[in-house]
Amino acid sequence: MSHKIYVVMGKSASGKDTIYKELAKDRELQLKEVVTYTTRPIREGEREGVEYHFVTEEKLDALEKEGKIIEHRTYQTVYGAWHYFTVEDEQIDLKNHDYVLIGTLESYRQILAYYGSEIVKPIYVEVESGERLERALSRERKQPEPKYAEMCRRFLADEQDFSEEMIKEAGILVRFQNKDLRKCIGEIKAFIQAKTIM
């Protein structure tokens, strides 16, 4: 039995963050979390080392020079370039544990190239576009300083980043519909349990 890395993916406001947290705290699954890194500003309610490691671009450059970057994505936002990346920082011990992390199609493909398909398994979450937009707007309104332009940019960028062509190219065959959160999590849990015993 080889240990796995499960990469939770989905467009913005698809519920992937909530699903990730539920999977990570499920005692039956015993999945370890992988905290990824970002250079974007910390948001209200986020904590360093929980949602992300929030670092400077100088730190990113240093890690790249050390050859410790597993995957790296850059997004051109209305606030400038924001970097998201996963680091070989001894968080991942595949001899002893299974892992779960949040990613994009791009990061999934890079992690897949790094570790291989025997280890890396995709968990792709979908929500109807209109419902996603309503969720994103509701979430943004709760921020102390709502960034509606960035929310719209993210929404439109996701339509390209998660196009049907890109999903097929990434080799993703299984999708989880998040119409009902509990049901969706149950289906994902069953999928993980089936893969873990393989």
Side-chain angles (χ1 to χ4, degrees):
M1 182 186 80
S2 60
H3 286 285
K4 316 290 185 191
I5 298 173
Y6 297 97
V7 183
V8 180
M9 295 169 279
K11 297 174 183 176
S12 57
S14 62
K16 63 183 179 294
D17 294 272
T18 301
I19 289 169
Y20 164 80
K21 287 172 186 173
E22 289 296 314
L23 295 174
K25 73 181 186 184
D26 189 308
R27 291 185 178 180
E28 286 182 29
L29 295 177
Q30 295 186 324
L31 298 172
K32 297 285 187 182
E33 296 179 70
V34 178
V35 181
T36 53
Y37 292 64
T38 185
T39 61
R40 77 154 167 76
I42 192 167
R43 291 177 184 154
E44 182 76 18
E46 290 181 329
R47 292 164 293 165
E48 160 57 31
V50 179
E51 285 79 12
Y52 293 98
H53 289 297
F54 296 92
V55 298
T56 62
E57 289 196 26
E58 288 74 23
K59 178 66 174 176
L60 167 59
D61 291 342
L63 288 166
E64 282 183 325
K65 285 174 184 173
E66 292 172 31
K68 292 192 174 181
I69 303 297
I70 294 171
E71 61 83 24
H72 176 200
R73 296 148 280 140
T74 304
Y75 299 102
Q76 299 301 328
T77 78
V78 293
Y79 303 98
W82 287 352
H83 302 272
Y84 293 80
F85 51 102
T86 305
V87 176
E88 182 61 79
D89 58 0
E90 299 183 1
Q91 283 188 76
I92 299 173
D93 172 16
L94 289 167
K95 290 181 181 177
N96 297 298
H97 303 289
D98 293 308
Y99 292 84
V100 63
L101 57 84
I102 294 179
T104 63
L105 279 177
E106 184 182 348
S107 66
Y108 164 70
R109 291 172 77 159
Q110 290 182 49
I111 294 166
L112 183 65
Y114 192 91
Y115 288 106
S117 60
E118 187 65 29
I119 290 170
V120 183
K121 304 297 176 186
I123 296 173
Y124 185 72
V125 180
E126 284 188 323
V127 172
E128 187 273 326
S129 292
E131 175 68 21
R132 275 199 317 108
L133 190 54
E134 286 179 9
R135 290 182 189 183
L137 185 56
S138 175
R139 182 174 68 186
E140 201 60 39
R141 280 191 176 126
K142 294 173 186 173
Q143 294 293 320
E145 295 180 25
K147 297 178 172 67
Y148 297 117
E150 174 56 20
M151 182 205 78
C152 291
R153 184 209 64 79
R154 248 188 353 256
F155 184 87
L156 293 172
D158 279 347
E159 294 301 307
Q160 290 184 327
D161 295 342
F162 289 93
S163 68
E164 285 300 314
E165 183 181 351
M166 296 286 279
I167 292 168
K168 286 177 183 175
E169 283 180 6
I172 292 172
L173 304 175
V174 179
R175 305 184 194 197
F176 299 93
Q177 301 298 319
N178 187 15
K179 294 176 184 175
D180 178 306
L181 182 62
R182 289 293 119 207
K183 183 181 177 185
C184 184
I185 290 171
E187 290 172 350
I188 293 170
K189 182 173 177 177
F191 170 81
I192 290 172
Q193 287 173 324
K195 292 290 182 188
T196 300
I197 61 174
M198 291 171 64

